Amino acid sequence: MFDTFGITVSMGVANNKVFAKLGSDLFKHKGFVVIEPDQYEELVWPLPVEDLLMVGSRMKRHFNDLKIFTIGDLAKADCAYLQHRFGLMGALLWTYANGLDRSEVHLAGYVRPPKSIGNSKTLVKDICSMGQLREVFRVLSESIAARLREQNLKGRTISIWLRDTDLKGKGCQGKFLQHTDLARDILEMAMQLAAKLWSGDVPLRSVGIRVENLSDRADYDQLDLFSDPDDRAKERKLETVLHEIRKQYGYDACRMASSQVDAEVTDFDPLGLLHQVHPIGALDGPIRL
């Protein structure tokens, strides 16, 4: 690489990503370091503790206060005490120091699967009734359901949170009988949870919904004895078509009539599908006639 392009490269090879990264930093700009599993105590442990991945200046000071100055000192420390003192990060760094990192190596462009999908909204005016809250929750539920389907995910746990005009918040969660990606299900559960938290006694300024316990394997609907086997499939198809129309023609192309009763609180689009019209002159110079 250097002979051909004049570019210097440093590389590290090890049986885990943490030590490989550390090896690539040992001889910066032009070096190649191999750390074998039976060599790390000799090569890695004498290094300053701040050379370890995720040990910054602040954590270095904490470790130094505990007489931990090298990676070896950290590896020989009491893992239980480190976790008690620093939480999960303490145990994680102890694991790194001992060469026990087993995290996977992913291809470039890998995106970590989401643990939850949700939306929230701080409104332009206060919510003072369950009717208003339902329509705001409808917009949020539709956006969450669309995002779930786009990622081929379904969720089983739903959380809501409500904040009043003093931004004092409260929330709760519930669980579906099965995984779902339907806005209808999300909305109904959200309203059931809201009824436990709020009676309309204080105005709400900010609300949110989050769906968790996600799965990409729940590719069927578990029906009970009295369910219409085609009902959920029809609802999913309807919601999918509705979303496709909005993507093509803008969010306002298709709205529920009930959302227009108080359009001021529902005039938002979590997915960014609203078609914005800007003055031509501001973007493209003078208007051509």
Side-chain angles (χ1 to χ4, degrees), residues 17-202:
K17 292 191 292 186
V18 173
F19 282 179
K21 173 68 170 66
L22 190 150
S24 70
D25 292 336
L26 287 180
F27 300 103
K28 268 298 183 185
H29 303 313
K30 195 175 181 180
F32 181 78
V33 176
V34 177
I35 301 176
E36 298 282 358
D38 58 352
Q39 291 180 311
Y40 73 87
E41 293 184 13
E42 176 185 350
L43 296 177
V44 174
W45 280 10
L47 298 173
V49 69
E50 62 268 26
D51 283 359
L52 190 66
L53 183 69
M54 298 180 70
V55 177
S57 58
R58 184 176 179 181
M59 187 60 77
K60 173 192 172 183
R61 291 196 299 270
H62 288 313
F63 281 153
N64 289 171
D65 290 341
L66 298 175
K67 308 302 181 184
I68 296 175
F69 299 101
T70 67
I71 296 177
D73 293 337
L74 177 58
K76 296 172 187 176
D78 184 347
C79 181
Y81 175 76
L82 292 175
Q83 183 166 353
H84 173 74
R85 177 74 181 272
F86 304 110
L88 292 177
M89 181 58 69
L92 180 65
L93 293 175
W94 180 90
T95 299
Y96 287 173
N98 280 280
L100 301 176
D101 173 48
R102 294 294 180 265
S103 57
E104 297 181 30
V105 177
H106 297 288
L107 296 175
Y110 169 79
V111 178
R112 187 185 301 273
K115 294 183 178 180
S116 66
I117 291 179
N119 280 118
S120 62
K121 180 64 177 177
T122 300
L123 300 150
V124 297
K125 61 180 281 189
D126 298 339
I127 295 176
C128 300
S129 70
M130 278 292 184
Q132 289 176 309
L133 179 59
R134 184 179 185 84
E135 295 312 315
V136 172
F137 271 175
R138 187 192 304 279
V139 178
L140 297 176
S141 298
E142 289 175 345
S143 70
I144 293 169
R147 291 168 61 195
L148 286 168
R149 289 191 295 271
E150 286 180 346
Q151 300 185 54
N152 296 314
L153 295 172
K154 294 182 179 180
R156 193 171 181 186
T157 302
I158 179 174
S159 304
I160 70 164
W161 60 97
L162 311 174
R163 292 186 176 89
D164 59 27
T165 50
D166 292 328
L167 295 184
K168 294 179 180 177
K170 50 188 174 181
C172 64
Q173 68 176 214
K175 204 166 189 177
F176 297 111
L177 295 177
Q178 61 176 310
H179 285 79
T180 185
D181 58 0
L182 297 179
R184 178 185 67 183
D185 295 344
I186 298 170
L187 174 60
E188 292 307 318
M189 177 66 78
M191 291 306 298
Q192 292 176 28
L193 296 173
K196 299 177 182 180
L197 291 178
W198 186 64
S199 60
D201 51 336
V202 293

